Structure formats: C-alpha cells, structure tokens
C-alpha cells in the first residue's frame, strides 16, 4: 500500500508543471508503481466502507472505517518520521511494504471465507492504516532523492495527480468488481497491487550520499529533537495550523459518503465507487490547473479558496437526493482537495532541511490524519444525532470559520530559503577526551557590541536563538555584562558532545546568512566561542576553540 499522501507565490515557471518531474527515470518508475498500488488501496477503501454498511449501517459505525484508516497515522507517524531520518529509507520501505502486502492478503482471505465482522474489519483496516502510517513519512521524504530541488514542486504535484488518478479509477473499478466478482475481489486485488511497488523499490538506488561521519541518532532522541525543531520552525508551524483548520472539516464527506450513496440517494456499491471516482477525477483536473492557480492566487489564498470550495461541496452533499447533484459535489470537493493538499504539502517540504525532513513531514501527516480522525468521529456522531444533511451543513460553516481563525499563519514563506548544509562550523580542537555521550555541553559565544548597535543586535539574535533550538539546543539565552558596556554572552545547552557535533552538520546556508549578519554588530568581528562539558568525578574541564558560530 503505497502512501496516499505525497511554492511560493510566483510565475508559472516550467519547473512547477506536474509532468516535468517525469524527466527523471527513477521518479517515473516509482510513480507508476505507486499509482497501481494506490488503485488497489482505493478499491480496498471503497469495498471496506461498503462492506460496513452491510454489516452495520449505523452512521457512527460506518464513520469508524475512516477512523480506523486515519487513526494509525495520528498514532504512529511521529516515530515513523524519526525512523525515516535515521535508517535507510529504501530498505525500510521494502520491508514495510512486504508486511503490508501480507496483512492485505489476510484480510482478503477472511472476507472470502465469510469470517469477517465489524470488529475484525476495523482491526484489519487499522493494521493496514498502521502500515501506511509507518511508510508515509519515508515515501514523502524520498521525493527530493528522486528529483532535483527545482523540480520538487512538480514532483509533489505529480504525486497528487497520481493519487487522484488512482482515486478516480480505484473506487469505480472496485464498485464494478464487487457487482461482478463479489465483495472479496477488491481485497485480493489490493494485496496483488503492492508487488509493483516492492519491485520498483528493489530496482531503485538512491544517488543521495548517506555517508555521515557521525553515528545514527537513537529513536527517542530523534523524536525529541524533531519535536523541538517543529516547535521552533515558524514556517512548518504555520503549515500545521492551516492543515488542522482544513482537514477536520474536509473529513466530513470522506466519512459519510457511503451513507450518502446508500441511504440519502438509495444507490448501490457501483454508485458509491463512481462518487469516490468523481472526487479523484476532480482532483486530477485540479492538479493540472495548480500552476496557474498558484501563480494567480498564491499559496495562502489558494488554500482559502480550496476551503471555500470544500464548504460549497458540503452544502451540496447535504441537499443531494439524486446522483447528479452528488456527482457535482464530488467534483467540487476533488478540485478543492488537491488545491489545498498539494499546497500544504509543498509548504511543509520547503520548510524542512534534509536532516529532519522525515520527522517534519511526519508532523504534517500526524496533523493531517489526527484532524481526519477527530473529524470522522465528530461528524459521524452528529449525523447519528441530527441526520446526514445537518452534519454536512455544520461542517461547511466550520470550514469557513477556520479560514478566518487560521489566516494569520502564512504559508511557504521559506520557499526561497537555502536549507542545504553550510558546513562552515569547524570541529572544535579538544584538549581532553570527550566521549560522544558525555554531556550536557554548554556553548558560550562572547560578543562586544558597539552601543549604537545594541537594539538591532538583540533583535537579530532572537532569530539566531530560534536556529539554535531548531538544530538541537535544549536551552538558549543571551546575557549582558553589568560591569562592561557592550559585552554580551550567548549561551546554549546541548544534551551531549555528539549532539553538538550533529549541530555542526545541521547548520544551513540560510542560518549562515543570519550568523554573518550578526557579526557586523561585533566590534571585534570574531566572537569568542567556548565549549564546556559537564565535569566528571568532581573535576572541571573546559574545551575552548575559535569556532565561528
């Protein structure tokens, strides 16, 4: 089951066109394999949703299928993102996809043998969702390895096209197959569709150098550092807030569409598949219009307009009593979905340096599916109490309110920032033995600032403090000497000597620009840097160097 989730306001440049990513053979092969796999996934999603309406038609029970799909993303995406940053992504994906294939085959066998019931269906859906959760950050973080940076936006848009092609084909095909071959057939085809992805991953070899002199991070430490990075990365934080404001309301039609098809329109599995396919078809059409829409509206307005489109589709779903009106709602929903999802995805990608990309994208996936999970439960319960139309209408109003509340957080403001490693920090010269795990480490940077530059220096240093924390500092502060005017001491604490060495590798060219700008305020031009390692057995040690921080 390949992950179903895979710039800045400017001109409609060729690099933003989705098909330009296909100039790269590795991307093309992996893209084709994931499209086939996702067709199987969407057949499974349609079949499981429809099967639940036969096993238990209560709206809350039906919405729990969506909960079982999205809850694992909320629970497991963060550790999965940490794994994606510290293990070989290709090998990890191969093993995970094999496990997912085995689970999919087991679910097909149980349906085929007639041993399925609501709890078992939800459990199997949860397990498949867990497989998707553990692979989603790795899938997203390998995209920059498949294409150069200038084609990243095109690759993300192409992935959106691929997901929605499979969404257009899979559910409709699943509905036809259920009618012709029985309910178990889509489950078997889902398991078989994964073999292409496993083969593509086996064939592909990443050209990205993974050789670092430092050992890999431990999982728990990687999680803590990733969370700290997200907290102090304003561009990523804005993306997460805007995502939460959208997905909690957009989850409504995903959770309730089986009941709209079956109860509100009185259709069968074929109609449900066609409606899901119409969402995918609308998304495909919207993907080809993304470059123009981004150039015309910019990311913030595009997400707002996509949210308005989603609210319109929810209102139409509430009024739909025939297939034609439901199809109109699905097409509007699909165009709006890809406009918002692709924009948010690119915003997350360009906000992250490579060393924390898996964890940062896991934050995005966690918010995405956390909002989808919570929304599915909420709207299923509201539909049980007030009916399907009321649930859609309330969600539409909530989506519009979400635009206003989340508007202060702007998207993709870091799209033109160079986040490649600068490697300009020299390794400190040691006068004692510093074991890698020894710590904590206190780093001090002494500045001598001209009186007229004090205010500007302190303002610039606040941004530097954000950088230190993003790159692994546990604490940061700036102190002013009460006895000597213009003498300032910057301090930051790092968990261990090894973690400080990792900081040297994490500093980006954008960070270097900020650090160079701060030096202009220093009367001595070169700040004095000292490193202090926690003393052992009552001894006091210091390591001094002339690092340029």
């Amino acid at each position: 089951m390949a992950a179903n989730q895979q710039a800045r306001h400017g001109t409609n440049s060729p690099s933003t066109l989705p098909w330009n990513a296909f100039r790269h053979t590795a991307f093309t092969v992996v893209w084709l394999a994931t499209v086939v796999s996702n067709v199987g996934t969407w057949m499974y999603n349609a079949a499981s949703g429809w099967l639940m309406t036969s096993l238990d038609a209560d709206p809350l029970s039906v919405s729990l299928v969506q909960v079982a799909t999205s809850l694992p993303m909320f629970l497991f995406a963060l550790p999965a993102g940490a794994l994606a940053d510290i293990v070989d992504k290709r090998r990890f994906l191969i093993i995970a996809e094999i496990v997912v294939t085995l689970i999919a085959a087991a679910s097909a066998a149980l349906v085929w043998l007639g041993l399925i019931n609501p709890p078992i269906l939800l459990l199997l859906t949860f397990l498949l969702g867990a497989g998707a959760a553990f692979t989603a950050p790795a899938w997203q973080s390998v995209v920059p390895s498949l294409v150069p940076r200038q084609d990243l936006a095109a690759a993300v848009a192409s992935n959106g096209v691929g997901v929605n092609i499979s969404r257009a084909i899979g559910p409709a095909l699943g509905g036809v197959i259920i009618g012709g071959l029985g309910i178990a057939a889509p489950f078997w085809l889902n398991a078989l569709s994964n073999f292409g992805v496993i083969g593509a991953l086996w064939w592909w070899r990443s050209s990205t150098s993974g050789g670092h002199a430092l050992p890999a991070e431990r999982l728990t430490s990687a999680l803590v550092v990733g969370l700290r990075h997200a907290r102090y990365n304003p561009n990523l934080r804005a993306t997460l807030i805007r995502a939460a404001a959208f997905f909690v309301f957009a989850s409504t039609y995903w959770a309730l569409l089986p009941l709209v098809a079956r109860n509100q329109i009185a259709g069968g599995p074929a109609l449900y598949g066609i409606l899901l396919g119409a969402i995918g078809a609308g998304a495909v059409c919207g993907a080809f219009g993304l470059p123009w829409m981004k150039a015309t509206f910019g990311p913030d307005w595009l997400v707002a307009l996509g949210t308005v489109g989603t609210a319109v589709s929810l209102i139409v779903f509430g009024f739909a009593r025939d297939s034609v009106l439901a199809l109109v709602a699905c097409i509007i929903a699909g165009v709006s979905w890809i406009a918002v999802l692709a924009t948010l995805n690119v915003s997350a990608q360009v906000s992250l340096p490579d060393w924390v990309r898996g964890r940062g994208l896991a934050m995005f996936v966690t918010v995405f599916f956390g909002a989808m999970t919570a929304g599915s439960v909420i709207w299923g319960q509201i539909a049980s109490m007030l009916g399907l139309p009321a649930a859609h209408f309330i969600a539409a109003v909530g989506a519009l309110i979400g635009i206003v509340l989340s508007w202060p957080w702007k998207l993709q403001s870091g799209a033109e920032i160079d986040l490649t490693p600068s490697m300009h920090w020299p390794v400190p010269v040691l006068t004692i033995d510093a074991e890698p795990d020894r710590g904590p480490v206190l780093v001090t940077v002494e500045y001598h600032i001209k009186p007229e530059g004090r205010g500007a220096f302190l303002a610039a240093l606040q941004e530097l403090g954000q950088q230190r924390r993003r790159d692994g500092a546990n604490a940061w502060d700036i102190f002013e000497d009460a006895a000597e005017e213009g003498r300032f001491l910057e301090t930051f604490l790092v968990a261990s000597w090894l973690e400080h060495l990792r900081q040297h590798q994490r500093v980006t060219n954008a960070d270097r620009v900020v650090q160079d700008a701060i030096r202009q305020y220093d009367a001595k031009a070169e700040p004095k840097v000292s490193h202090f390692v926690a003393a052992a057995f009552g001894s006091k040690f210091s390591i001094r160097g002339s690092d340029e921080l």
Side-chain angles (χ1 to χ4, degrees):
M1 183 190 301
N4 282 339
Q5 297 75 34
Q6 308 261 174
R8 190 169 178 87
H9 180 46
T11 59
N12 188 2
S13 62
S15 63
T16 65
L17 300 175
W19 50 83
N20 282 350
F22 296 106
R23 296 178 295 186
H24 310 285
T25 303
F27 178 84
T28 303
V29 171
V30 173
W31 185 88
L32 289 171
T34 55
V35 167
V36 172
S37 177
N38 286 336
V39 167
T41 299
W42 280 103
M43 284 195 293
Y44 174 90
N45 289 343
S48 60
W50 189 259
L51 179 59
M52 182 59 84
T53 65
S54 301
L55 298 172
D56 186 348
D58 180 72
L60 182 58
S61 297
V62 175
S63 69
L64 286 178
V65 176
Q66 177 64 38
V67 172
T69 300
S70 54
L71 180 60
M73 290 286 188
F74 177 72
L75 296 176
F76 305 130
L78 287 180
L83 283 173
D85 283 330
I86 64 179
V87 302
D88 182 278
K89 296 179 180 64
R90 171 181 167 273
R91 187 177 304 169
F92 173 73
L93 284 171
I94 289 173
I95 294 172
E97 294 294 345
I98 290 173
V99 172
V100 167
T101 302
L102 294 175
I103 296 172
S107 68
L110 290 173
V111 174
W112 183 50
L113 295 171
L115 301 177
I116 202 74
N117 59 39
I120 293 177
L121 177 61
L122 292 174
L123 174 62
L124 291 169
T125 302
F126 180 87
L127 292 176
L128 289 173
F134 275 101
T135 57
W139 274 114
Q140 293 195 67
S141 60
V142 299
V143 175
S145 300
L146 299 171
V147 298
R149 181 176 174 84
Q150 64 266 25
D151 287 332
L152 179 60
V156 171
S158 297
N159 281 339
V161 172
V163 167
N164 289 290
I165 286 174
S166 63
R167 182 181 290 149
I169 296 172
L173 186 60
V176 172
I177 289 173
I178 291 172
L181 300 177
I183 190 65
F187 290 84
W188 284 115
L189 291 173
N190 176 45
L192 292 173
S193 69
N194 240 33
F195 284 97
V197 157
I198 296 170
L201 289 169
W202 197 274
W203 165 82
W204 171 59
R205 293 293 188 276
S206 174
S207 59
T208 303
S209 174
H212 293 112
L214 301 179
E217 297 176 76
R218 295 188 179 95
L219 180 59
T220 53
S221 173
L223 280 170
V224 171
V225 171
L227 288 168
R228 186 183 300 120
H229 180 92
R231 178 183 176 185
Y232 293 105
N233 185 330
N235 295 322
L236 178 62
R237 197 165 60 243
T239 303
L240 300 181
I241 291 170
R242 297 291 291 273
F246 172 75
F247 291 120
V248 72
F249 301 106
S251 65
T252 308
Y253 61 82
W254 292 113
L256 300 179
L257 191 59
L259 291 172
V260 172
R262 184 165 194 147
N263 298 345
Q264 196 165 293
I265 304 178
L271 174 62
Y272 175 52
I274 290 171
L275 292 179
L276 280 175
I279 296 175
V284 170
C285 295
F288 284 103
L290 273 177
W292 175 83
M293 289 189 287
K294 287 181 180 179
T296 303
F297 302 109
D300 290 303
W301 279 105
L302 183 53
V303 168
L305 291 173
T307 306
V308 171
T310 299
V312 171
S313 70
L314 289 169
I315 292 171
V316 177
F317 275 125
F319 285 114
R321 295 296 183 274
D322 59 69
S323 57
V324 174
L325 202 56
L327 282 170
V328 171
C330 288
I331 292 171
I332 297 173
V335 173
S336 303
W337 177 266
I338 192 62
V340 176
L341 180 59
T343 304
L344 292 173
N345 192 298
V346 173
S347 181
Q349 290 272 9
V350 300
S351 299
L352 295 163
D354 285 339
W355 69 268
V356 75
R357 187 176 301 277
R359 280 164 282 186
L361 292 173
M363 306 285 178
F364 176 70
V365 170
T366 299
V367 170
F368 177 178
F369 283 96
M372 293 286 286
T373 301
S376 296
V377 173
I378 291 168
W379 306 119
Q381 186 63 43
I382 290 175
S384 293
M385 296 187 299
L386 305 177
L388 289 172
H392 287 92
F393 297 150
I394 295 171
V397 173
L400 296 176
I401 295 173
I403 296 174
V404 177
L405 295 180
S406 63
W407 188 252
W409 288 273
K410 303 303 181 184
L411 296 172
Q412 296 178 268
S413 56
E416 293 175 353
I417 296 176
D418 185 359
L419 296 179
T420 55
S422 66
M423 304 303 291
H424 74 284
W425 284 10
V427 177
V429 177
L430 307 183
T431 60
I432 64 169
D433 258 347
E435 294 297 326
D437 288 337
R438 186 172 168 185
V441 175
L442 175 67
V443 182
T444 66
V445 188
E446 184 177 327
Y447 304 92
H448 292 267
I449 305 303
K450 302 169 186 177
E452 64 271 16
R454 180 182 183 279
F457 165 76
L458 291 175
L461 213 62
Q462 291 303 312
E463 184 175 353
L464 182 62
Q466 295 269 355
Q467 292 177 5
R468 307 290 202 212
R469 291 183 173 106
R470 283 201 301 270
D471 290 345
N474 294 328
W476 175 91
D477 218 324
I478 180 72
F479 298 90
E480 185 172 10
D481 192 335
E484 182 181 341
E485 184 180 15
R487 182 171 179 250
F488 291 85
L489 191 68
E490 178 197 2
T491 67
F492 58 95
L493 199 65
V494 189
S496 68
W497 183 248
L498 178 59
E499 188 65 15
H500 178 58
L501 294 180
R502 289 196 178 102
Q503 281 188 300
H504 284 241
Q505 296 184 342
R506 293 168 181 168
V507 179
T508 67
N509 287 321
D511 297 336
R512 184 174 187 172
V513 170
V514 174
Q515 293 169 19
D516 289 345
I518 288 173
R519 288 176 56 197
Q520 69 179 311
Y521 302 107
D522 196 331
K524 294 187 176 181
E526 292 290 341
K528 180 183 177 183
V529 180
S530 298
H531 298 78
F532 298 86
V533 185
F537 305 111
S539 301
K540 186 175 181 180
F541 299 98
S542 72
I543 304 175
R544 295 184 182 272
S546 58
D547 296 23
E548 180 184 316
L549 299 184

PDB file of all heavy atoms in Angstrom, residues 270-296:
ATOM      1  N   ALA A 270     -21.882   0.334  -6.891  1.00  0.00           N
ATOM      2  CA  ALA A 270     -21.355   0.946  -8.111  1.00  0.00           C
ATOM      3  C   ALA A 270     -21.451   2.472  -8.015  1.00  0.00           C
ATOM      4  O   ALA A 270     -20.513   3.194  -8.390  1.00  0.00           O
ATOM      5  CB  ALA A 270     -22.109   0.444  -9.332  1.00  0.00           C
ATOM      6  N   LEU A 271     -22.578   2.986  -7.500  1.00  0.00           N
ATOM      7  CA  LEU A 271     -22.735   4.436  -7.363  1.00  0.00           C
ATOM      8  C   LEU A 271     -21.718   4.989  -6.361  1.00  0.00           C
ATOM      9  O   LEU A 271     -21.100   6.036  -6.603  1.00  0.00           O
ATOM     10  CB  LEU A 271     -24.146   4.777  -6.896  1.00  0.00           C
ATOM     11  CG  LEU A 271     -24.379   6.269  -6.575  1.00  0.00           C
ATOM     12  CD1 LEU A 271     -24.171   7.118  -7.817  1.00  0.00           C
ATOM     13  CD2 LEU A 271     -25.764   6.486  -5.981  1.00  0.00           C
ATOM     14  N   TYR A 272     -21.515   4.278  -5.256  1.00  0.00           N
ATOM     15  CA  TYR A 272     -20.527   4.728  -4.272  1.00  0.00           C
ATOM     16  C   TYR A 272     -19.141   4.804  -4.897  1.00  0.00           C
ATOM     17  O   TYR A 272     -18.398   5.772  -4.712  1.00  0.00           O
ATOM     18  CB  TYR A 272     -20.540   3.781  -3.075  1.00  0.00           C
ATOM     19  CG  TYR A 272     -19.470   4.073  -2.049  1.00  0.00           C
ATOM     20  CD1 TYR A 272     -19.307   5.348  -1.519  1.00  0.00           C
ATOM     21  CD2 TYR A 272     -18.613   3.059  -1.610  1.00  0.00           C
ATOM     22  CE1 TYR A 272     -18.328   5.611  -0.578  1.00  0.00           C
ATOM     23  CE2 TYR A 272     -17.634   3.317  -0.662  1.00  0.00           C
ATOM     24  CZ  TYR A 272     -17.487   4.594  -0.158  1.00  0.00           C
ATOM     25  OH  TYR A 272     -16.512   4.842   0.765  1.00  0.00           O
ATOM     26  N   GLY A 273     -18.786   3.796  -5.676  1.00  0.00           N
ATOM     27  CA  GLY A 273     -17.495   3.807  -6.355  1.00  0.00           C
ATOM     28  C   GLY A 273     -17.389   4.952  -7.337  1.00  0.00           C
ATOM     29  O   GLY A 273     -16.337   5.587  -7.459  1.00  0.00           O
ATOM     30  N   ILE A 274     -18.468   5.225  -8.053  1.00  0.00           N
ATOM     31  CA  ILE A 274     -18.454   6.329  -9.029  1.00  0.00           C
ATOM     32  C   ILE A 274     -18.291   7.669  -8.319  1.00  0.00           C
ATOM     33  O   ILE A 274     -17.572   8.556  -8.790  1.00  0.00           O
ATOM     34  CB  ILE A 274     -19.741   6.298  -9.871  1.00  0.00           C
ATOM     35  CG1 ILE A 274     -19.720   5.083 -10.812  1.00  0.00           C
ATOM     36  CG2 ILE A 274     -19.906   7.589 -10.667  1.00  0.00           C
ATOM     37  CD1 ILE A 274     -21.030   4.841 -11.519  1.00  0.00           C
ATOM     38  N   LEU A 275     -18.960   7.828  -7.172  1.00  0.00           N
ATOM     39  CA  LEU A 275     -18.837   9.083  -6.434  1.00  0.00           C
ATOM     40  C   LEU A 275     -17.402   9.292  -5.942  1.00  0.00           C
ATOM     41  O   LEU A 275     -16.842  10.399  -6.046  1.00  0.00           O
ATOM     42  CB  LEU A 275     -19.810   9.095  -5.254  1.00  0.00           C
ATOM     43  CG  LEU A 275     -21.299   9.157  -5.604  1.00  0.00           C
ATOM     44  CD1 LEU A 275     -22.140   9.125  -4.327  1.00  0.00           C
ATOM     45  CD2 LEU A 275     -21.634  10.394  -6.427  1.00  0.00           C
ATOM     46  N   LEU A 276     -16.789   8.239  -5.399  1.00  0.00           N
ATOM     47  CA  LEU A 276     -15.394   8.355  -4.991  1.00  0.00           C
ATOM     48  C   LEU A 276     -14.501   8.650  -6.193  1.00  0.00           C
ATOM     49  O   LEU A 276     -13.564   9.457  -6.110  1.00  0.00           O
ATOM     50  CB  LEU A 276     -14.936   7.068  -4.302  1.00  0.00           C
ATOM     51  CG  LEU A 276     -15.319   6.885  -2.834  1.00  0.00           C
ATOM     52  CD1 LEU A 276     -14.888   5.506  -2.354  1.00  0.00           C
ATOM     53  CD2 LEU A 276     -14.698   7.956  -1.969  1.00  0.00           C
ATOM     54  N   GLY A 277     -14.798   7.993  -7.304  1.00  0.00           N
ATOM     55  CA  GLY A 277     -14.033   8.240  -8.521  1.00  0.00           C
ATOM     56  C   GLY A 277     -14.182   9.668  -9.003  1.00  0.00           C
ATOM     57  O   GLY A 277     -13.236  10.263  -9.545  1.00  0.00           O
ATOM     58  N   ALA A 278     -15.363  10.241  -8.823  1.00  0.00           N
ATOM     59  CA  ALA A 278     -15.585  11.629  -9.247  1.00  0.00           C
ATOM     60  C   ALA A 278     -14.745  12.595  -8.417  1.00  0.00           C
ATOM     61  O   ALA A 278     -14.255  13.607  -8.937  1.00  0.00           O
ATOM     62  CB  ALA A 278     -17.068  11.979  -9.126  1.00  0.00           C
ATOM     63  N   ILE A 279     -14.567  12.288  -7.139  1.00  0.00           N
ATOM     64  CA  ILE A 279     -13.676  13.119  -6.322  1.00  0.00           C
ATOM     65  C   ILE A 279     -12.260  13.057  -6.885  1.00  0.00           C
ATOM     66  O   ILE A 279     -11.587  14.082  -7.035  1.00  0.00           O
ATOM     67  CB  ILE A 279     -13.695  12.647  -4.857  1.00  0.00           C
ATOM     68  CG1 ILE A 279     -15.079  12.843  -4.243  1.00  0.00           C
ATOM     69  CG2 ILE A 279     -12.638  13.408  -4.036  1.00  0.00           C
ATOM     70  CD1 ILE A 279     -15.212  12.297  -2.826  1.00  0.00           C
ATOM     71  N   GLY A 280     -11.825  11.841  -7.220  1.00  0.00           N
ATOM     72  CA  GLY A 280     -10.494  11.691  -7.805  1.00  0.00           C
ATOM     73  C   GLY A 280     -10.368  12.386  -9.140  1.00  0.00           C
ATOM     74  O   GLY A 280      -9.345  13.021  -9.432  1.00  0.00           O
ATOM     75  N   ALA A 281     -11.387  12.284  -9.974  1.00  0.00           N
ATOM     76  CA  ALA A 281     -11.348  12.930 -11.286  1.00  0.00           C
ATOM     77  C   ALA A 281     -11.277  14.451 -11.137  1.00  0.00           C
ATOM     78  O   ALA A 281     -10.526  15.133 -11.853  1.00  0.00           O
ATOM     79  CB  ALA A 281     -12.572  12.537 -12.100  1.00  0.00           C
ATOM     80  N   GLY A 282     -12.056  14.982 -10.196  1.00  0.00           N
ATOM     81  CA  GLY A 282     -11.991  16.414  -9.943  1.00  0.00           C
ATOM     82  C   GLY A 282     -10.610  16.832  -9.467  1.00  0.00           C
ATOM     83  O   GLY A 282     -10.085  17.883  -9.869  1.00  0.00           O
ATOM     84  N   ALA A 283      -9.987  15.996  -8.633  1.00  0.00           N
ATOM     85  CA  ALA A 283      -8.654  16.310  -8.137  1.00  0.00           C
ATOM     86  C   ALA A 283      -7.624  16.274  -9.259  1.00  0.00           C
ATOM     87  O   ALA A 283      -6.697  17.090  -9.294  1.00  0.00           O
ATOM     88  CB  ALA A 283      -8.270  15.337  -7.029  1.00  0.00           C
ATOM     89  N   VAL A 284      -7.741  15.321 -10.184  1.00  0.00           N
ATOM     90  CA  VAL A 284      -6.815  15.247 -11.322  1.00  0.00           C
ATOM     91  C   VAL A 284      -6.922  16.516 -12.163  1.00  0.00           C
ATOM     92  O   VAL A 284      -5.918  17.129 -12.548  1.00  0.00           O
ATOM     93  CB  VAL A 284      -7.092  13.994 -12.175  1.00  0.00           C
ATOM     94  CG1 VAL A 284      -6.299  14.049 -13.472  1.00  0.00           C
ATOM     95  CG2 VAL A 284      -6.737  12.734 -11.398  1.00  0.00           C
ATOM     96  N   CYS A 285      -8.146  16.912 -12.458  1.00  0.00           N
ATOM     97  CA  CYS A 285      -8.341  18.150 -13.236  1.00  0.00           C
ATOM     98  C   CYS A 285      -7.776  19.351 -12.485  1.00  0.00           C
ATOM     99  O   CYS A 285      -7.118  20.222 -13.080  1.00  0.00           O
ATOM    100  CB  CYS A 285      -9.830  18.361 -13.514  1.00  0.00           C
ATOM    101  SG  CYS A 285     -10.569  17.111 -14.577  1.00  0.00           S
ATOM    102  N   GLY A 286      -8.009  19.395 -11.184  1.00  0.00           N
ATOM    103  CA  GLY A 286      -7.486  20.496 -10.396  1.00  0.00           C
ATOM    104  C   GLY A 286      -5.971  20.519 -10.374  1.00  0.00           C
ATOM    105  O   GLY A 286      -5.350  21.595 -10.364  1.00  0.00           O
ATOM    106  N   ALA A 287      -5.327  19.328 -10.372  1.00  0.00           N
ATOM    107  CA  ALA A 287      -3.864  19.264 -10.326  1.00  0.00           C
ATOM    108  C   ALA A 287      -3.232  19.911 -11.552  1.00  0.00           C
ATOM    109  O   ALA A 287      -2.197  20.570 -11.450  1.00  0.00           O
ATOM    110  CB  ALA A 287      -3.415  17.810 -10.198  1.00  0.00           C
ATOM    111  N   PHE A 288      -3.850  19.733 -12.712  1.00  0.00           N
ATOM    112  CA  PHE A 288      -3.292  20.327 -13.921  1.00  0.00           C
ATOM    113  C   PHE A 288      -3.488  21.842 -13.941  1.00  0.00           C
ATOM    114  O   PHE A 288      -2.773  22.546 -14.659  1.00  0.00           O
ATOM    115  CB  PHE A 288      -3.913  19.684 -15.155  1.00  0.00           C
ATOM    116  CG  PHE A 288      -3.370  18.317 -15.439  1.00  0.00           C
ATOM    117  CD1 PHE A 288      -4.114  17.181 -15.123  1.00  0.00           C
ATOM    118  CD2 PHE A 288      -2.104  18.154 -15.970  1.00  0.00           C
ATOM    119  CE1 PHE A 288      -3.613  15.919 -15.359  1.00  0.00           C
ATOM    120  CE2 PHE A 288      -1.592  16.887 -16.205  1.00  0.00           C
ATOM    121  CZ  PHE A 288      -2.347  15.762 -15.900  1.00  0.00           C
ATOM    122  N   GLY A 289      -4.421  22.333 -13.151  1.00  0.00           N
ATOM    123  CA  GLY A 289      -4.594  23.772 -13.056  1.00  0.00           C
ATOM    124  C   GLY A 289      -3.826  24.405 -11.915  1.00  0.00           C
ATOM    125  O   GLY A 289      -3.846  25.625 -11.738  1.00  0.00           O
ATOM    126  N   LEU A 290      -3.104  23.581 -11.115  1.00  0.00           N
ATOM    127  CA  LEU A 290      -2.396  24.096  -9.946  1.00  0.00           C
ATOM    128  C   LEU A 290      -1.355  25.171 -10.280  1.00  0.00           C
ATOM    129  O   LEU A 290      -1.286  26.188  -9.591  1.00  0.00           O
ATOM    130  CB  LEU A 290      -1.734  22.950  -9.183  1.00  0.00           C
ATOM    131  CG  LEU A 290      -2.586  22.241  -8.136  1.00  0.00           C
ATOM    132  CD1 LEU A 290      -1.811  21.090  -7.523  1.00  0.00           C
ATOM    133  CD2 LEU A 290      -3.020  23.209  -7.044  1.00  0.00           C
ATOM    134  N   PRO A 291      -0.505  24.978 -11.311  1.00  0.00           N
ATOM    135  CA  PRO A 291       0.487  26.035 -11.582  1.00  0.00           C
ATOM    136  C   PRO A 291      -0.166  27.398 -11.828  1.00  0.00           C
ATOM    137  O   PRO A 291       0.304  28.416 -11.299  1.00  0.00           O
ATOM    138  CB  PRO A 291       1.214  25.515 -12.831  1.00  0.00           C
ATOM    139  CG  PRO A 291       1.068  24.035 -12.762  1.00  0.00           C
ATOM    140  CD  PRO A 291      -0.300  23.811 -12.186  1.00  0.00           C
ATOM    141  N   TRP A 292      -1.247  27.410 -12.613  1.00  0.00           N
ATOM    142  CA  TRP A 292      -1.930  28.675 -12.867  1.00  0.00           C
ATOM    143  C   TRP A 292      -2.555  29.230 -11.593  1.00  0.00           C
ATOM    144  O   TRP A 292      -2.455  30.426 -11.308  1.00  0.00           O
ATOM    145  CB  TRP A 292      -3.011  28.489 -13.938  1.00  0.00           C
ATOM    146  CG  TRP A 292      -3.835  29.723 -14.148  1.00  0.00           C
ATOM    147  CD1 TRP A 292      -3.525  30.804 -14.925  1.00  0.00           C
ATOM    148  CD2 TRP A 292      -5.094  30.028 -13.528  1.00  0.00           C
ATOM    149  NE1 TRP A 292      -4.507  31.761 -14.845  1.00  0.00           N
ATOM    150  CE2 TRP A 292      -5.491  31.311 -13.997  1.00  0.00           C
ATOM    151  CE3 TRP A 292      -5.925  29.344 -12.649  1.00  0.00           C
ATOM    152  CZ2 TRP A 292      -6.678  31.908 -13.600  1.00  0.00           C
ATOM    153  CZ3 TRP A 292      -7.104  29.936 -12.250  1.00  0.00           C
ATOM    154  CH2 TRP A 292      -7.477  31.205 -12.725  1.00  0.00           C
ATOM    155  N   MET A 293      -3.185  28.358 -10.809  1.00  0.00           N
ATOM    156  CA  MET A 293      -3.841  28.816  -9.588  1.00  0.00           C
ATOM    157  C   MET A 293      -2.830  29.358  -8.581  1.00  0.00           C
ATOM    158  O   MET A 293      -3.068  30.380  -7.929  1.00  0.00           O
ATOM    159  CB  MET A 293      -4.659  27.674  -8.961  1.00  0.00           C
ATOM    160  CG  MET A 293      -5.921  27.310  -9.743  1.00  0.00           C
ATOM    161  SD  MET A 293      -7.001  26.142  -8.866  1.00  0.00           S
ATOM    162  CE  MET A 293      -6.069  24.621  -9.004  1.00  0.00           C
ATOM    163  N   LYS A 294      -1.667  28.686  -8.451  1.00  0.00           N
ATOM    164  CA  LYS A 294      -0.643  29.171  -7.530  1.00  0.00           C
ATOM    165  C   LYS A 294      -0.096  30.520  -7.976  1.00  0.00           C
ATOM    166  O   LYS A 294       0.140  31.410  -7.159  1.00  0.00           O
ATOM    167  CB  LYS A 294       0.486  28.148  -7.422  1.00  0.00           C
ATOM    168  CG  LYS A 294       0.129  26.906  -6.629  1.00  0.00           C
ATOM    169  CD  LYS A 294       1.303  25.953  -6.555  1.00  0.00           C
ATOM    170  CE  LYS A 294       0.941  24.692  -5.764  1.00  0.00           C
ATOM    171  NZ  LYS A 294       2.068  23.740  -5.714  1.00  0.00           N
ATOM    172  N   ALA A 295       0.136  30.651  -9.301  1.00  0.00           N
ATOM    173  CA  ALA A 295       0.671  31.915  -9.810  1.00  0.00           C
ATOM    174  C   ALA A 295      -0.341  33.048  -9.668  1.00  0.00           C
ATOM    175  O   ALA A 295       0.032  34.197  -9.452  1.00  0.00           O
ATOM    176  CB  ALA A 295       1.076  31.748 -11.269  1.00  0.00           C
ATOM    177  N   THR A 296      -1.611  32.730  -9.776  1.00  0.00           N
ATOM    178  CA  THR A 296      -2.656  33.763  -9.729  1.00  0.00           C
ATOM    179  C   THR A 296      -3.000  34.172  -8.304  1.00  0.00           C
ATOM    180  O   THR A 296      -3.133  35.362  -8.003  1.00  0.00           O
ATOM    181  CB  THR A 296      -3.926  33.256 -10.440  1.00  0.00           C
ATOM    182  OG1 THR A 296      -3.593  32.900 -11.781  1.00  0.00           O
ATOM    183  CG2 THR A 296      -5.003  34.337 -10.452  1.00  0.00           C
TER     184      THR A 296
END
